[in-house]
Amino acid sequence: MDICEEMETFSSKNMAMKAQKKILSQMASKSMAQMFIDDTSSEILDELYRVSKEYSGNKTEAQKVIKDLVKIAVKIGVLFHHNRFTPEELSLAQNFKKKLQQGAMTAISFHEVEFTFEKSVISEILIKCRDILLKLVEKHLTPKSHGRINHVFNHYSDTELLTQLYNPDGPFKARLTNICKGLNKMLEDGTL
């Protein structure tokens, strides 16, 4: 590409969006998350972090999963803010939202109704969410971001983690209650 072609394809709006995504990606800490994520979401993220940390016994890995989740959420928010999605991609985003809501309702139902938990159901919903999200951002985010999406969804769709989380006599009972309370509030408020 010569300099003339480069100047014709140059867009300050595109450059600003890329810079914004890059800066926000590098600032994905708990304090940054609170600027972009409401209190209920933040509480859910905190509980997910604690579950991951206690399940894996690895604080660094738990932090990385949540950091990846926040980075992806912020980047997708930037893409929406800059109207970067085509009508087809917006349709995928709606499908993702519906599947995520289905997952939240399923998670709540499994928590509220004893002996209904089926690890494969939630795992399959999360894997479907991952696949829809990857398709949505396929042309917009880097392979590194795609790896972050895989990391987050593969982590939380792990059937052994889900089994431990939903164990009625297990160590995560209070955490699951808090997660489900938050999900329920988000569903009621229409923020999920």
Side-chain angles (χ1 to χ4, degrees), residues 52 103 131 147 180:
S52 294
D131 294 345
C180 288

Side-chain angles (χ1 to χ4, degrees), residues 9-65:
T9 60
F10 175 80
S11 164
S12 59
K13 187 175 181 180
N14 284 345
M15 194 170 102
M17 184 188 64
K18 285 179 184 176
Q20 199 174 17
K21 285 187 341 190
K22 183 72 173 171
I23 290 167
L24 292 174
S25 158
Q26 299 199 358
M27 297 167 52
S29 63
K30 186 174 177 182
S31 58
M32 271 315 277
Q34 289 173 340
M35 286 177 60
F36 293 100
I37 298 172
D38 64 46
D39 289 343
T40 304
S41 299
S42 183
E43 290 166 12
I44 292 170
L45 289 174
D46 288 346
E47 291 296 341
L48 288 172
Y49 163 74
R50 290 179 192 112
V51 166
S52 294
K53 184 176 109 183
E54 292 165 22
Y55 173 74
S56 70
N58 186 334
K59 178 181 176 182
T60 305
E61 175 60 19
Q63 288 174 338
K64 184 167 175 28
V65 170

